[in-house]
Amino acid sequence: MFKKSSKSFRISAGFNITMLLISFFVLYSCKEKIKPEKGGLDLISNVYVDASKGLDKVQNFHISRINYSGSNILELIPDLNFPELTENIFYIKDSIYYKIGTENSGNTILSEISKKQQPLLIKNKIEGAIFSKDWIPNYKNKKNLSDTILFNKSYKRFEVNSPWTYSRFYIYPTDTILPYSLYKHAEEDYGGRLERIDSYNKKKDVFVTLQLITRKNWDNEAKEIFDFNAFVKKKK
């Protein structure tokens, strides 16, 4: 009788543990991703020439200032020589975009743009941030590296080495989904946001860093457009 009771307990305990594990994985897989309502991000690059001789020859580039409100994205393209100035403004919606320009941009009604302009495919955009679905070159031969702390944040890392380049990728673990990603496939694989790429061109001796920096606030030009559209919508 004792043996029967013991066997019954083991079966019951095993069943409970199995159900607990199943419940855990169901809850984990059903964990919702977070989509912030508003915010912004910057794409910044540093280019080091003759990198093997030192990091003194460097050029800084503010590639893009992306601002978003819900599904609406405004991309500000900084002037390469004077990053504090905006060279162009794009309105991005899903897989298409429109050129707003900087003249009287504050009076732009986003819902009316499609009636005045032909949409452009975002995959063909060459200014500012590149919205590409391409995979990281040689990604299948990537090698995982140990986690590291950079700028007081913990990152997962992996490297991709080839005869012509060596690159390291830094992914910040998070459930927050932004409207822009450098390489979405890598973010899905590692469960986070790709925030930095360090790449060395072995033939040209050029070292390039690319950083994605998130922020809560809009740029002034984007805020003016978003606020004006909220006002117009409220008046209707």
Side-chain angles (χ1 to χ4, degrees):
M1 184 175 181
F2 174 77
K3 290 183 179 180
K4 184 178 180 181
S5 176
S6 177
K7 182 179 180 181
S8 176
F9 172 78
R10 288 197 301 271
I11 293 174
S12 176
F15 176 78
N16 290 336
I17 292 173
T18 301
M19 291 304 297
L20 182 64
L21 289 173
I22 291 174
S23 299
F24 171 79
F25 286 115
V26 168
L27 288 173
Y28 183 81
S29 62
C30 293
K31 192 175 182 181
E32 292 186 5
K33 298 293 185 180
I34 302 170
K35 291 185 177 181
E37 294 182 4
K38 56 176 288 188
L41 56 91
D42 296 280
L43 275 177
I44 297 175
S45 179
N46 295 325
V47 179
Y48 301 86
V49 182
D50 296 331
S52 63
K53 299 176 182 178
L55 301 179
D56 298 325
K57 297 180 181 179
V58 58
Q59 286 183 287
N60 305 308
F61 299 98
H62 199 151
I63 299 172
S64 174
R65 301 197 304 268
I66 295 177
N67 302 263
Y68 59 91
S69 177
S71 60
N72 292 315
I73 300 175
L74 293 173
E75 182 183 15
L76 280 59
I77 309 299
D79 185 289
L80 290 180
N81 297 316
F82 303 96
E84 64 276 9
L85 301 179
T86 300
E87 189 174 89
N88 211 339
I89 299 177
F90 298 146
Y91 169 48
I92 300 171
K93 186 76 173 179
D94 299 322
S95 61
I96 58 177
Y97 76 102
Y98 304 89
K99 294 183 178 181
I100 294 178
T102 57
E103 188 174 351
N104 299 319
S105 60
N107 296 324
T108 301
I109 300 177
L110 299 178
S111 60
E112 297 291 321
I113 289 182
S114 60
K115 299 176 183 178
K116 301 177 181 178
Q117 290 188 38
Q118 288 291 328
L120 302 169
L121 293 177
I122 196 170
K123 66 178 182 179
N124 296 332
K125 187 170 72 69
I126 58 175
E127 293 181 77
I130 302 301
F131 288 73
S132 172
K133 293 184 179 180
D134 293 340
W135 278 43
I136 296 169
N138 208 29
Y139 182 70
K140 64 180 181 179
N141 294 322
K142 68 183 183 300
K143 178 182 177 182
N144 291 328
L145 301 172
S146 59
D147 295 352
T148 190
I149 296 177
L150 194 63
F151 306 122
N152 295 319
K153 296 171 70 173
S154 179
Y155 286 95
K156 296 179 180 179
R157 297 186 303 165
F158 65 90
E159 66 179 14
V160 175
N161 197 6
S162 71
W164 52 92
T165 59
Y166 172 80
S167 300
R168 282 188 175 182
F169 300 80
Y170 298 75
I171 295 182
Y172 175 62
T174 178
D175 291 321
T176 301
I177 299 178
L178 296 180
Y180 177 77
S181 60
L182 295 169
Y183 287 104
K184 191 173 182 62
H185 70 93
E187 295 186 336
E188 291 176 348
D189 287 347
Y190 285 87
R193 180 169 60 242
L194 181 57
E195 292 191 346
R196 182 183 177 101
I197 303 173
D198 293 341
S199 186
Y200 177 62
N201 188 308
K202 300 176 183 178
K203 292 184 178 180
K204 297 183 178 180
D205 194 21
V206 175
F207 178 65
V208 178
T209 68
L210 178 64
Q211 287 181 267
L212 185 150
I213 302 174
T214 61
R215 50 185 162 83
K216 296 180 179 179
N217 300 322
W218 294 325
D219 290 297
N220 290 334
E221 297 104 317
K223 184 179 187 305
E224 189 175 4
I225 297 173
F226 283 140
D227 287 349
F228 178 70
N229 278 264
F231 171 77
V232 171
K233 185 177 181 180
K234 188 176 181 180
K235 295 291 285 186
K236 289 182 177 180

